[in-house]
Amino acid sequence: MKDVVLLTGAGQIGMAIVRRVAHGKKIIVGDKRLENAETVAKILSEAGFDALPVDCDISSRESILHLIAEAQRHGEISCLVNAAGVSPSQAPVEAILKVDLYGTAVLLEEVGKVIRRGGAGVTISSQSGHRMEQLGARTDALLATTPTEELLSLEVLRPQNIRDTLHAYQMAKRCNEKRVMAESVRWGERGARLNSISPGIIVTPLAIDEFNGPRGDFYKNMFAKCPAGRPGTADEVANVAELLLGDKGAFITGADFLIDGGATASYFYGPLKPEEKGE
């Protein structure tokens, strides 16, 4: 039996992270598309890791429980890397809220029940959650602590209050941030830690498609006008995840780390700031 690293979302960021932290451990790779999980598991296995692909839809509690049960067949879960999600251009409002918001909340809750003492988790959120106006302490508390099966019934998440897919995505990522804070308290009761990372534009196959798509100019302008002057790489996200998941991050829990090359700073205080509209 080995310590088990649970990876949800078979993409470049998740794979870059587990390559840093999963040597000598069993990696369970979960993805809604089994072929994606198989591809990542094959790459990891050919690099000397012990990886197993599993079909998992994180919008389903039943599917998450199946993934956890499969992981526990191989040992205790010591690490969660949640990189699953859909973007505003990939899915409608309902799917974004079901996967990125509800699914993440369920995953953090269920893994938190079984994570071993000394374990750690990181969930990949987004810079988008930092761009929204403040929602207020009461709404933040509701996003953080409402029972998972009641989350999508919150007034602020009702369809009539969601403007478009980008707004849904921003709400999901703001909820991720608050949910991590609340769940980190529960994880702490088991001697485990939980944090989130909010990347900006990271070069992945999906991002390249976006650069060449109808919103390409928007994304190119964003990274051109951020202080870093470029998009990031999956390995740069993994640099921070390695700290958060390892012994050197032992005093870090319940936190969110913005890794966006300064794009959010530029959005509020630099050339990316939206033009003021008269009231």
Side-chain angles (χ1 to χ4, degrees):
M1 301 290 277
K2 294 183 177 180
D3 278 355
V4 177
V5 174
L6 199 56
L7 169 61
T8 49
Q12 293 292 321
I13 292 176
M15 184 164 58
I17 293 171
V18 299
R19 288 176 74 107
R20 302 291 184 88
V21 302
H23 43 276
K25 301 177 181 178
K26 183 76 174 186
I27 306 170
I28 303 297
V29 184
D31 196 279
K32 185 175 182 180
R33 295 184 178 179
L34 183 58
E35 61 267 28
N36 291 349
E38 289 172 339
T39 297
V40 166
K42 183 174 185 290
I43 292 170
L44 290 169
S45 296
E46 290 177 349
F49 294 92
D50 182 4
L52 176 71
V54 178
D55 181 12
C56 178
D57 176 2
I58 75 161
S59 69
S60 161
R61 186 184 294 271
E62 181 181 4
S63 187
I64 288 171
L65 291 173
H66 170 74
L67 180 72
I68 291 171
E70 180 61 33
Q72 290 178 311
R73 289 182 56 245
H74 301 275
E76 284 190 291
I77 298 173
S78 65
C79 179
L80 168 68
V81 177
N82 175 36
V86 292
S87 74
S89 59
Q90 286 182 310
V93 167
E94 181 181 25
I96 291 170
L97 294 178
K98 187 73 171 175
V99 174
D100 291 17
L101 191 151
Y102 167 81
T104 297
V106 173
L107 182 66
L108 300 183
E109 175 187 341
E110 293 296 346
V111 174
K113 294 176 182 177
V114 299
I115 189 84
R116 75 157 173 78
R117 177 164 291 277
V122 66
T123 188
I124 303 301
S125 188
S126 169
Q127 63 177 350
S128 288
H130 292 262
R131 302 281 179 86
M132 293 178 63
E133 67 280 0
Q134 295 300 309
L135 300 175
R138 181 178 180 277
T139 299
D140 282 349
L142 288 172
L143 292 175
T145 63
T146 297
T148 48
E149 297 306 319
E150 299 172 20
L151 259 175
L152 295 180
S153 297
L154 290 176
E155 184 66 25
V156 71
L157 298 177
R158 291 186 182 278
Q160 62 268 30
N161 294 322
I162 300 294
R163 296 187 298 273
D164 51 28
T165 58
L166 177 58
H167 185 211
Y169 188 73
Q170 290 175 324
M171 287 298 300
K173 299 310 179 180
R174 180 65 61 82
C175 183
N176 292 168
E177 179 187 341
K178 301 304 176 184
R179 209 76 191 177
V180 162
M181 293 179 72
E183 284 294 342
S184 72
V185 178
R186 298 189 181 95
W187 282 46
E189 294 170 0
R190 296 182 62 86
R193 299 180 296 105
L194 175 65
N195 293 286
S196 60
I197 294 175
S198 292
I201 298 173
I202 305 299
V203 178
T204 63
L206 172 62
I208 292 171
D209 287 343
E210 294 282 2
F211 296 160
N212 296 320
R215 293 175 56 132
D217 289 342
F218 169 81
Y219 289 111
K220 291 173 185 176
N221 180 63
M222 182 182 293
F223 66 71
K225 291 184 178 178
C226 75
R230 63 172 177 84
T233 66
D235 281 291
E236 289 176 303
V237 178
N239 288 339
V240 177
E242 185 177 14
L243 167 67
L244 298 177
L245 295 170
D247 293 340
K248 291 183 179 179
F251 198 55
I252 307 172
T253 192
D256 178 74
F257 288 76
L258 181 62
I259 308 175
D260 68 348
T264 299
S266 185
Y267 178 84
F268 284 108
Y269 307 115
L272 285 174
K273 185 175 183 179
E275 293 182 8
E276 299 286 351
K277 295 182 179 180
E279 296 183 359

